[in-house]
Amino acid sequence: MAEIQSYTMNFGPQHPAAHGVLRLVLEIEGETIQKADPHVGLLHRATEKLAESKPFNQSIGYMDRLDYVSMMCNEHGYVMAIEKLLGLEVPTRAQYIRVMFDEMTRVLNHLMWLGAHGLDIGAMTMFLYCFREREDLMDCYEAVSGTRMHATYYRPGGVYRDLPETMPKYAESRFRSKKELDGMNSVREGSMLDFIEDFTVRFPACVDEYETLLTDNRIWKQRTVNIAVVSPERAMQLGFTGPMLRGSGVEWDLRKKQPYEVYDQMDFDIPVGVNGDCYDRYLVRVEEMRQSNRIMKQCIDWLRDNPGPVIADDHKIAPPTRVEMKDDMESLIHHFKLFTEGYCVPEGEAYAAIEHPKGEFGVYIVSDGANKPYRVKIRAPGFAHLSAMSEMVEGHMLADVVAVIGTQDIVFGEVDR
Amino acid sequence: MTSPYETLAARIDARFGEQMQRVASSCRELTYELDKDDLIAVATALRNESHFGFEMLVDVCGVDYLDYGSDEWTTNSATGTGFSRGVERASVILDEADEFDARRFAVVYHLLSIQNNLRLRLRVYTGTSNPPIVRSVVDIWNGANWFEREAFDLYGILFEGHPDLRRILTDYGFIGHPFRKDFPLMGNVEVSYDADEGRVVYKPVSIEPRTLVPRVIRDDNRYSADLKDGNGDG
């Protein structure tokens, strides 16, 4: 019989299931993967080097573009590192707003992940369902910051502005009837908090809907159960964080273990997997959406009752209001200095980590006392996860590679930076 | 102070003594510097001994201390030359020198102990050799693999014992190490499609570099002395 030799196959970087620009060089025997060598860096923009050449505040916008499906969480890690270096206190209301938007971002990210992961391994409907709910959350982003994705809403010392009192409404168009329009706008009559509250009431039923489609679905289970099993020891050894680590059964969540902002005031649970396969990681993420919903609800209740400042009062760091600038010379000078030169951060180094939807997102800043960071290092969770790709797909079939890319929740904005 | 971090610091001092030098930090973080020859022994002990238990390596990154503490615009006396015109661009230092300053390149490791819920930062200077070289920790923490490749790619730091030290983030065939401080922000080459040759060609960069906001260091008295690194120890 002729001897079958293993051969090398190229996957991506222009493949719809490669989640962006992943190029995989696969060594295959028959249809079984022997080794996978991911080639990354096709989206490398040197964010860290760019940040070194700009005043601190001007790089916040770059952070949105790292993991472009969980924008505000990236900003959070960056501004927290600056606040740590400055020794800056954030007003409580701003902390609650941040927690609420972090959780909203987590839902956004997980919806994107669920839709794309479903689409990759054969569940077309999921994508449409998930994007329906994402749209509402994107509207919240837009209402609070003016953009649907790259918000630049978090600033050192707090958030840029308070939550708006109104939600934007759908406009009349010849494609929808008056009745339809009123139905769509009915939840948008009140403030933004009313809109989010309505979302938190609706959302658990939506998650039930996703679960009806997937959790007991025979095909879904065939594609995910016992695929890419990672033991807890290996997960820690490989530097896994977030749902990848919890899926393997390690109860580790920075929101509980090293709480930042007001997470210690929140009541929520950490879902943990048992087998460490793709199916468990799916269950963990779905449950995380429910928990995020719970946290959002708690934040809404607190934010309704407690008005207050949303950004630190220190005008060396945060700009004064427009009104103040009209008749106060000092405010005008502060504003001018802040937007031309920026602020100097004391010499030192800080590492701030947050529980990003994908894992531990850390920002390490070295400052030499200048108005620009000396070194910024972004610790992207996806980078560590992707490096374990070869180990996870070894011995699996070619089609499972796609399931593994999905379960790792890879986004190239953060892997390549 | 009996915070978990002080307890850890006391344990590290007792176990490693002179091998690890504590660096004062303002941000309630523990930083130690150690000699590159001690790295493997210390890292193995930190991972395996249960009262340290650093089973996870969160991050490895290179740092280039070439311009540390230098500013582009002198603010001690007022100038008549305006803001950006006063910028003096640092002359380019070529990396062909036989020896580097002993404290030019450093590798920074961020460790995490899940069982004890602690973090620790280690810094290792690469010494005077060109190219800079340290021992790889891939055998101790397998997750270090890509992080070390990244540090090699961006800073040209070699990791002795790394199984597969290739470039990772830059283009195939890239020349230089882009995150070094003497590598220009906009790079050395630009690419364009040449219709005559029918392929993409590389040319030297044609645009002038410019500084929009100069780098300024102000000795600001807003920050109390104990906030600065080197003075406080808490």
Side-chain angles (χ1 to χ4, degrees), chain A residues 62-81:
Chain A
Y62 282 133
M63 298 301 140
D64 290 314
R65 286 146 180 89
L66 288 171
D67 179 357
Y68 43 78
V69 292
S70 33
M71 296 69 73
M72 286 198 194
C73 286
N74 307 334
E75 291 171 21
H76 198 170
Y78 180 67
V79 298
M80 243 170 57

Side-chain angles (χ1 to χ4, degrees), chain A residues 23 39-40 49 52 84 234 237 257-258 341 344 349 351 360 368 371-372 374-375 379 417, chain B residues 29 58 62 64 69 117 119 123 141-142 150 155 168 172 178 181 183 213 215-216 218 223:
Chain A
R23 181 182 170 204
H39 288 210
V40 300
K49 180 126 179 156
E52 286 168 17
K84 224 171 168 181
R234 279 311 287 166
Q237 181 61 256
K257 302 287 178 178
Q258 300 176 355
E341 185 181 296
C344 291
E349 50 189 344
Y351 177 82
E360 175 175 327
D368 59 351
N371 58 340
K372 302 173 180 181
Y374 185 76
R375 166 85 166 112
R379 193 270 178 199
R417 283 157 292 155
Chain B
E29 295 177 341
V58 172
D64 179 359
N117 196 5
R119 285 179 190 276
R123 181 165 34 236
W141 294 286
N142 298 162
E150 185 193 324
Y155 287 94
I168 185 165
Y172 305 110
K181 289 286 178 180
F183 192 95
V213 181
R215 183 179 177 81
V216 175
R218 292 184 186 280
Y223 308 111

Side-chain angles (χ1 to χ4, degrees), chain A residues 23 37-42 44 46-50 52-55 58 84-87 234-241 245 250-252 254 257-258 314 316-317 337 339-353 360 364 366-380 382-384 386-388 391 415-417, chain B residues 5 23 25-29 31 47 55-70 72-73 75 83 108 110 112-115 117-119 121 123 138-147 149-150 154-155 164 166 168-172 178-185 211-218 220 222-223 227-229:
Chain A
R23 181 182 170 204
D37 179 17
H39 288 210
V40 300
L42 287 107
H44 180 57
T47 304
E48 293 147 332
K49 180 126 179 156
L50 286 170
E52 286 168 17
S53 70
K54 291 188 164 38
Q58 292 186 16
K84 224 171 168 181
L85 278 167
L86 287 167
R234 279 311 287 166
M236 287 192 275
Q237 181 61 256
L238 291 164
F240 280 14
T241 43
L245 186 61
V250 182
E251 198 190 327
W252 178 259
L254 292 178
K257 302 287 178 178
Q258 300 176 355
D314 185 353
K316 304 283 181 202
I317 311 294
K337 285 304 275 182
F339 284 96
T340 51
E341 185 181 296
Y343 46 84
C344 291
V345 164
E347 193 180 349
E349 50 189 344
Y351 177 82
E360 175 175 327
Y364 171 53
V366 180
S367 167
D368 59 351
N371 58 340
K372 302 173 180 181
Y374 185 76
R375 166 85 166 112
V376 177
K377 162 77 199 201
I378 295 149
R379 193 270 178 199
F383 190 73
L386 192 62
S387 70
E391 189 173 321
V415 174
D416 291 349
R417 283 157 292 155
Chain B
Y5 280 97
V23 183
S25 165
S26 56
C27 307
R28 289 189 296 281
E29 295 177 341
T31 311
R47 191 198 64 175
E55 64 275 86
M56 193 152 39
L57 179 68
V58 172
D59 187 37
V60 179
C61 71
V63 183
D64 179 359
Y65 284 100
L66 181 66
D67 304 334
Y68 191 82
S70 68
E72 294 173 323
W73 196 54
T75 50
F83 210 54
V108 179
H110 285 94
L112 171 68
S113 167
I114 284 183
Q115 48 182 307
N117 196 5
L118 289 171
R119 285 179 190 276
R121 181 184 301 131
R123 181 165 34 236
V138 171
D139 292 334
I140 304 168
W141 294 286
N142 298 162
N145 190 324
W146 276 26
F147 289 111
R149 275 178 69 184
E150 185 193 324
L154 303 179
Y155 287 94
D164 183 23
R166 284 175 294 153
I168 185 165
L169 290 177
T170 50
D171 198 3
Y172 305 110
F179 275 34
R180 288 189 176 183
K181 289 286 178 180
D182 50 9
F183 192 95
L185 180 67
T211 307
L212 295 177
V213 181
R215 183 179 177 81
V216 175
I217 297 180
R218 292 184 186 280
D220 216 319
R222 266 177 297 138
Y223 308 111
L227 255 178
K228 283 201 165 184
D229 258 16

Side-chain angles (χ1 to χ4, degrees), chain A residues 129-416:
Chain A
Y129 277 23
C130 289
F131 269 65
R132 184 186 58 193
E133 269 74 61
R134 256 174 78 85
E135 202 57 31
D136 287 339
L137 297 177
M138 290 287 203
D139 284 348
C140 295
Y141 260 55
E142 188 175 357
V144 85
S145 74
T147 58
R148 287 160 53 83
M149 292 185 78
H150 304 304
T152 327
Y153 179 53
Y154 294 9
R155 302 291 163 95
V159 294
Y160 186 61
R161 59 177 196 169
D162 208 342
L163 303 172
E165 283 305 312
T166 53
M167 274 303 279
K169 296 188 182 65
Y170 286 103
E172 263 181 72
S173 110
R174 61 197 171 89
F175 298 108
R176 25 181 120 87
S177 66
K178 178 86 173 63
K179 198 179 155 205
E180 227 177 326
L181 187 71
D182 289 344
M184 286 164 84
N185 282 336
S186 63
V187 290
R188 292 160 186 266
E189 296 299 335
S191 70
M192 191 188 146
L193 280 176
D194 294 330
F195 181 75
I196 305 175
E197 185 162 28
D198 176 72
F199 178 84
T200 56
V201 173
R202 269 182 292 141
F203 189 59
C206 298
V207 181
D208 291 341
E209 212 171 68
Y210 312 146
E211 287 218 76
T212 322
L213 281 173
L214 295 179
T215 304
D216 292 320
N217 183 323
R218 186 164 52 91
I219 302 170
W220 182 257
K221 284 179 109 170
Q222 280 170 346
R223 292 301 305 272
T224 54
V225 175
N226 278 332
I227 301 295
V229 179
V230 183
S231 70
E233 293 74 31
R234 279 311 287 166
M236 287 192 275
Q237 181 61 256
L238 291 164
F240 280 14
T241 43
M244 296 291 288
L245 186 61
R246 291 192 285 275
S248 295
V250 182
E251 198 190 327
W252 178 259
D253 189 319
L254 292 178
R255 292 175 294 170
K256 282 269 193 227
K257 302 287 178 178
Q258 300 176 355
Y260 48 96
E261 311 294 4
V262 286
Y263 275 114
D264 48 352
Q265 319 267 317
M266 297 291 155
D267 179 28
F268 65 102
D269 302 316
I270 312 174
V272 175
V274 180
N275 304 315
D277 57 5
C278 289
Y279 187 67
D280 278 21
R281 287 186 282 268
Y282 153 77
L283 292 177
V284 165
R285 287 194 175 105
V286 169
E287 183 55 32
E288 270 182 22
M289 287 201 276
R290 294 184 195 276
Q291 298 300 332
S292 294
N293 200 51
R294 262 175 83 188
I295 301 175
M296 272 160 70
K297 182 80 187 65
Q298 292 166 48
C299 289
I300 293 165
D301 292 342
W302 191 92
L303 285 167
R304 275 192 203 287
D305 302 337
N306 297 279
V310 292
I311 192 155
D313 201 23
D314 185 353
H315 292 326
K316 304 283 181 202
I317 311 294
T321 63
R322 282 273 147 199
V323 181
E324 278 175 78
M325 276 161 50
K326 297 292 179 199
D327 54 13
D328 181 16
M329 192 64 193
E330 204 179 339
S331 297
L332 195 66
I333 297 169
H334 273 138
H335 182 270
F336 176 72
K337 285 304 275 182
L338 201 55
F339 284 96
T340 51
E341 185 181 296
Y343 46 84
C344 291
V345 164
E347 193 180 349
E349 50 189 344
Y351 177 82
I354 61 150
E355 187 67 33
H356 188 272
K358 293 181 167 59
E360 175 175 327
F361 181 88
V363 177
Y364 171 53
I365 297 184
V366 180
S367 167
D368 59 351
N371 58 340
K372 302 173 180 181
Y374 185 76
R375 166 85 166 112
V376 177
K377 162 77 199 201
I378 295 149
R379 193 270 178 199
F383 190 73
H385 297 157
L386 192 62
S387 70
M389 169 65 89
S390 186
E391 189 173 321
M392 286 175 79
V393 297
E394 201 186 300
H396 285 303
M397 307 294 260
L398 180 57
D400 297 327
V401 173
V402 176
V404 173
I405 296 171
T407 198
Q408 287 189 343
D409 199 2
I410 294 293
V411 164
F412 274 87
E414 59 152 15
V415 174
D416 291 349

Side-chain angles (χ1 to χ4, degrees), chain B:
Chain B
M1 198 159 57
T2 51
S3 74
Y5 280 97
E6 289 306 314
T7 321
L8 175 67
R11 280 198 192 130
I12 288 175
D13 290 340
R15 169 70 174 78
F16 298 107
E18 288 295 298
Q19 278 183 313
M20 289 172 79
Q21 300 292 325
R22 182 163 174 188
V23 183
S25 165
S26 56
C27 307
R28 289 189 296 281
E29 295 177 341
L30 264 189
T31 311
Y32 279 89
E33 286 179 4
L34 61 154
D35 196 81
K36 65 175 187 170
D37 299 326
D38 296 333
L39 176 66
I40 296 300
V42 169
T44 313
L46 285 175
R47 191 198 64 175
N48 292 345
E49 291 172 20
S50 65
H51 50 288
F52 298 126
F54 288 99
E55 64 275 86
M56 193 152 39
L57 179 68
V58 172
D59 187 37
V60 179
C61 71
V63 183
D64 179 359
Y65 284 100
L66 181 66
D67 304 334
Y68 191 82
S70 68
D71 51 6
E72 294 173 323
W73 196 54
T74 321
T75 50
N76 293 336
S77 58
T79 64
T81 50
F83 210 54
S84 59
R85 277 166 291 172
V87 173
E88 275 180 39
R89 225 159 257 118
S91 59
V92 173
I93 302 157
L94 294 173
D95 284 334
E96 284 150 11
D98 290 332
E99 285 197 343
F100 289 131
D101 187 305
R103 290 172 82 81
R104 175 164 174 193
F105 288 106
V107 182
V108 179
Y109 301 85
H110 285 94
L111 309 183
L112 171 68
S113 167
I114 284 183
Q115 48 182 307
N116 300 326
N117 196 5
L118 289 171
R119 285 179 190 276
L120 179 65
R121 181 184 301 131
L122 304 179
R123 181 165 34 236
V124 177
Y125 286 98
T126 57
T128 56
S129 65
N130 183 12
I133 184 162
V134 288
R135 291 284 299 278
S136 167
V137 294
V138 171
D139 292 334
I140 304 168
W141 294 286
N142 298 162
N145 190 324
W146 276 26
F147 289 111
E148 290 187 343
R149 275 178 69 184
E150 185 193 324
F152 160 69
D153 189 1
L154 303 179
Y155 287 94
I157 299 167
L158 299 181
F159 291 89
E160 191 187 341
H162 190 285
D164 183 23
L165 200 63
R166 284 175 294 153
R167 283 187 179 272
I168 185 165
L169 290 177
T170 50
D171 198 3
Y172 305 110
F174 189 88
I175 298 166
H177 299 288
F179 275 34
R180 288 189 176 183
K181 289 286 178 180
D182 50 9
F183 192 95
L185 180 67
M186 56 178 61
N188 292 319
V189 289
E190 61 184 30
V191 289
S192 57
Y193 180 74
D194 190 318
D196 297 332
E197 291 193 51
R199 64 181 176 90
V200 171
V201 290
Y202 288 78
K203 290 186 204 126
V205 187
S206 57
I207 9 174
E208 275 284 300
R210 56 180 181 162
T211 307
L212 295 177
V213 181
R215 183 179 177 81
V216 175
I217 297 180
R218 292 184 186 280
D219 286 323
D220 216 319
N221 51 14
R222 266 177 297 138
Y223 308 111
S224 58
D226 59 359
L227 255 178
K228 283 201 165 184
D229 258 16
N231 295 331
D233 61 346

